[in-house]
Short mmCIF file of all heavy atoms in Angstrom, two decimals:
data_model
loop_
_atom_site.label_atom_id
_atom_site.label_comp_id
_atom_site.label_asym_id
_atom_site.label_seq_id
_atom_site.Cartn_x
_atom_site.Cartn_y
_atom_site.Cartn_z
N THR A 1 7.08 -7.00 17.20
CA THR A 1 8.16 -7.91 16.81
C THR A 1 8.91 -7.46 15.57
O THR A 1 9.89 -8.09 15.20
CB THR A 1 7.59 -9.32 16.58
OG1 THR A 1 6.65 -9.27 15.49
CG2 THR A 1 6.93 -9.88 17.83
N GLN A 2 8.42 -6.38 14.95
CA GLN A 2 9.02 -5.85 13.73
C GLN A 2 9.16 -6.92 12.64
O GLN A 2 10.21 -7.07 12.01
CB GLN A 2 10.35 -5.18 14.02
CG GLN A 2 10.21 -4.00 14.94
CD GLN A 2 11.52 -3.29 15.19
OE1 GLN A 2 12.60 -3.78 14.87
NE2 GLN A 2 11.44 -2.12 15.76
N THR A 3 8.06 -7.66 12.44
CA THR A 3 8.07 -8.71 11.43
C THR A 3 6.87 -8.56 10.48
O THR A 3 5.80 -8.07 10.87
CB THR A 3 8.00 -10.10 12.06
OG1 THR A 3 6.85 -10.17 12.91
CG2 THR A 3 9.22 -10.42 12.88
N ALA A 4 7.09 -8.98 9.26
CA ALA A 4 6.02 -9.01 8.26
C ALA A 4 5.16 -10.23 8.52
O ALA A 4 5.66 -11.29 8.88
CB ALA A 4 6.62 -9.07 6.87
N LEU A 5 3.85 -10.06 8.36
CA LEU A 5 2.90 -11.15 8.60
C LEU A 5 1.97 -11.29 7.39
O LEU A 5 1.78 -10.36 6.61
CB LEU A 5 2.06 -10.85 9.85
CG LEU A 5 2.81 -10.60 11.14
CD1 LEU A 5 1.85 -10.11 12.23
CD2 LEU A 5 3.51 -11.88 11.58
N GLY A 6 1.36 -12.45 7.28
CA GLY A 6 0.38 -12.67 6.24
C GLY A 6 1.00 -12.94 4.89
O GLY A 6 2.17 -13.30 4.78
N ASN A 7 0.20 -12.75 3.86
CA ASN A 7 0.64 -13.02 2.49
C ASN A 7 1.71 -12.03 2.07
O ASN A 7 1.70 -10.86 2.47
CB ASN A 7 -0.52 -12.91 1.51
CG ASN A 7 -1.56 -13.97 1.79
OD1 ASN A 7 -1.23 -15.10 2.14
ND2 ASN A 7 -2.81 -13.61 1.62
N PHE A 8 2.62 -12.50 1.24
CA PHE A 8 3.72 -11.66 0.77
C PHE A 8 4.09 -12.05 -0.66
O PHE A 8 4.37 -13.23 -0.88
CB PHE A 8 4.94 -11.81 1.67
CG PHE A 8 6.04 -10.88 1.34
CD1 PHE A 8 6.08 -9.60 1.84
CD2 PHE A 8 7.04 -11.27 0.45
CE1 PHE A 8 7.12 -8.73 1.51
CE2 PHE A 8 8.07 -10.42 0.13
CZ PHE A 8 8.10 -9.13 0.65
N PRO A 9 4.11 -11.16 -1.58
CA PRO A 9 3.63 -9.79 -1.50
C PRO A 9 2.11 -9.73 -1.56
O PRO A 9 1.47 -10.67 -2.04
CB PRO A 9 4.23 -9.12 -2.74
CG PRO A 9 4.36 -10.22 -3.72
CD PRO A 9 4.64 -11.49 -2.92
N GLN A 10 1.57 -8.67 -1.07
CA GLN A 10 0.13 -8.51 -0.97
C GLN A 10 -0.33 -7.38 -1.88
O GLN A 10 0.09 -6.24 -1.71
CB GLN A 10 -0.26 -8.22 0.47
CG GLN A 10 -1.71 -7.92 0.73
CD GLN A 10 -2.65 -9.00 0.23
OE1 GLN A 10 -3.33 -8.77 -0.76
NE2 GLN A 10 -2.68 -10.14 0.87
N VAL A 11 -1.20 -7.70 -2.83
CA VAL A 11 -1.65 -6.70 -3.78
C VAL A 11 -2.42 -5.56 -3.11
O VAL A 11 -2.28 -4.41 -3.50
CB VAL A 11 -2.47 -7.35 -4.92
CG1 VAL A 11 -3.80 -7.85 -4.40
CG2 VAL A 11 -2.67 -6.35 -6.05
N TYR A 12 -3.21 -5.86 -2.09
CA TYR A 12 -3.99 -4.80 -1.46
C TYR A 12 -3.10 -3.78 -0.76
O TYR A 12 -3.38 -2.59 -0.78
CB TYR A 12 -5.00 -5.39 -0.45
CG TYR A 12 -6.05 -6.25 -1.11
CD1 TYR A 12 -6.17 -7.58 -0.82
CD2 TYR A 12 -6.90 -5.70 -2.06
CE1 TYR A 12 -7.11 -8.39 -1.43
CE2 TYR A 12 -7.83 -6.48 -2.69
CZ TYR A 12 -7.96 -7.82 -2.40
OH TYR A 12 -8.88 -8.60 -3.01
N SER A 13 -2.00 -4.23 -0.19
CA SER A 13 -1.06 -3.30 0.42
C SER A 13 -0.50 -2.35 -0.64
O SER A 13 -0.37 -1.16 -0.41
CB SER A 13 0.10 -4.07 1.09
OG SER A 13 -0.40 -4.90 2.12
N HIS A 14 -0.15 -2.91 -1.78
CA HIS A 14 0.41 -2.09 -2.86
C HIS A 14 -0.59 -1.13 -3.45
O HIS A 14 -0.28 0.02 -3.70
CB HIS A 14 1.05 -2.98 -3.93
CG HIS A 14 2.22 -3.72 -3.41
ND1 HIS A 14 2.12 -4.95 -2.83
CD2 HIS A 14 3.53 -3.35 -3.33
CE1 HIS A 14 3.34 -5.34 -2.43
NE2 HIS A 14 4.20 -4.39 -2.73
N LEU A 15 -1.81 -1.57 -3.62
CA LEU A 15 -2.86 -0.68 -4.12
C LEU A 15 -3.14 0.45 -3.15
O LEU A 15 -3.31 1.61 -3.53
CB LEU A 15 -4.16 -1.45 -4.40
CG LEU A 15 -4.11 -2.38 -5.60
CD1 LEU A 15 -5.41 -3.18 -5.70
CD2 LEU A 15 -3.85 -1.61 -6.87
N GLY A 16 -3.14 0.14 -1.86
CA GLY A 16 -3.35 1.15 -0.84
C GLY A 16 -2.26 2.19 -0.83
O GLY A 16 -2.54 3.40 -0.74
N ILE A 17 -1.00 1.76 -0.95
CA ILE A 17 0.09 2.72 -0.90
C ILE A 17 0.11 3.56 -2.19
O ILE A 17 0.45 4.75 -2.16
CB ILE A 17 1.44 2.06 -0.63
CG1 ILE A 17 2.42 3.07 -0.06
CG2 ILE A 17 1.99 1.38 -1.84
CD1 ILE A 17 3.64 2.47 0.58
N ILE A 18 -0.29 2.96 -3.31
CA ILE A 18 -0.38 3.75 -4.56
C ILE A 18 -1.47 4.80 -4.44
O ILE A 18 -1.27 5.98 -4.78
CB ILE A 18 -0.65 2.81 -5.75
CG1 ILE A 18 0.60 1.98 -6.04
CG2 ILE A 18 -1.07 3.61 -6.97
CD1 ILE A 18 0.37 0.82 -6.99
N ASP A 19 -2.64 4.43 -3.92
CA ASP A 19 -3.71 5.39 -3.70
C ASP A 19 -3.28 6.51 -2.76
O ASP A 19 -3.58 7.69 -3.00
CB ASP A 19 -4.96 4.71 -3.15
CG ASP A 19 -5.72 3.93 -4.21
OD1 ASP A 19 -5.47 4.11 -5.42
OD2 ASP A 19 -6.60 3.13 -3.83
N ALA A 20 -2.59 6.16 -1.69
CA ALA A 20 -2.11 7.17 -0.75
C ALA A 20 -1.11 8.10 -1.41
O ALA A 20 -1.14 9.33 -1.21
CB ALA A 20 -1.50 6.50 0.48
N ALA A 21 -0.23 7.55 -2.23
CA ALA A 21 0.77 8.39 -2.92
C ALA A 21 0.09 9.35 -3.89
O ALA A 21 0.47 10.53 -3.97
CB ALA A 21 1.76 7.50 -3.67
N VAL A 22 -0.92 8.88 -4.59
CA VAL A 22 -1.67 9.74 -5.52
C VAL A 22 -2.36 10.85 -4.72
O VAL A 22 -2.34 12.03 -5.12
CB VAL A 22 -2.67 8.92 -6.35
CG1 VAL A 22 -3.62 9.83 -7.10
CG2 VAL A 22 -1.92 8.01 -7.31
N CYS A 23 -2.94 10.52 -3.60
CA CYS A 23 -3.61 11.52 -2.76
C CYS A 23 -2.61 12.56 -2.27
O CYS A 23 -2.88 13.76 -2.41
CB CYS A 23 -4.26 10.80 -1.56
SG CYS A 23 -5.21 11.92 -0.50
N LEU A 24 -1.46 12.14 -1.78
CA LEU A 24 -0.47 13.07 -1.29
C LEU A 24 0.14 13.91 -2.39
O LEU A 24 0.61 15.03 -2.15
CB LEU A 24 0.65 12.33 -0.53
CG LEU A 24 0.43 12.15 0.96
CD1 LEU A 24 -0.79 11.34 1.30
CD2 LEU A 24 1.66 11.56 1.61
N SER A 25 0.09 13.41 -3.60
CA SER A 25 0.66 14.17 -4.74
C SER A 25 -0.27 15.31 -5.16
O SER A 25 0.12 16.18 -5.91
CB SER A 25 0.91 13.25 -5.92
OG SER A 25 -0.32 12.90 -6.53
N GLY A 26 -1.52 15.25 -4.72
CA GLY A 26 -2.48 16.28 -5.09
C GLY A 26 -3.21 15.99 -6.38
O GLY A 26 -4.00 16.80 -6.83
N LEU A 27 -2.96 14.83 -6.99
CA LEU A 27 -3.58 14.50 -8.27
C LEU A 27 -5.07 14.20 -8.14
O LEU A 27 -5.80 14.24 -9.14
CB LEU A 27 -2.88 13.31 -8.92
CG LEU A 27 -1.42 13.59 -9.36
CD1 LEU A 27 -0.79 12.31 -9.89
CD2 LEU A 27 -1.38 14.69 -10.39
N THR A 28 -5.55 13.91 -6.92
CA THR A 28 -6.97 13.57 -6.76
C THR A 28 -7.78 14.77 -6.31
O THR A 28 -8.98 14.68 -6.20
CB THR A 28 -7.14 12.46 -5.70
OG1 THR A 28 -6.64 12.92 -4.45
CG2 THR A 28 -6.43 11.20 -6.12
N GLY A 29 -7.15 15.87 -6.03
CA GLY A 29 -7.87 17.05 -5.60
C GLY A 29 -8.30 16.98 -4.14
O GLY A 29 -9.05 17.81 -3.66
N GLY A 30 -7.79 15.94 -3.38
CA GLY A 30 -8.20 15.76 -2.00
C GLY A 30 -7.45 16.52 -1.01
O GLY A 30 -6.61 17.28 -1.05
#
């Protein structure tokens, strides 16, 4: 349906995307 669901804004979503960005940046050595 291309719709947002659940709580908005959601802190866990933001923490997850920050962690993913750090991983992709190479800062974690992963």
Side-chain angles (χ1 to χ4, degrees):
T1 62
Q2 297 183 347
T3 55
L5 304 171
N7 295 324
F8 185 86
Q10 175 55 252
V11 70
Y12 296 118
S13 298
H14 292 91
L15 290 175
I17 202 165
I18 290 167
D19 284 345
V22 169
C23 183
L24 269 62
S25 74
L27 294 175
T28 61

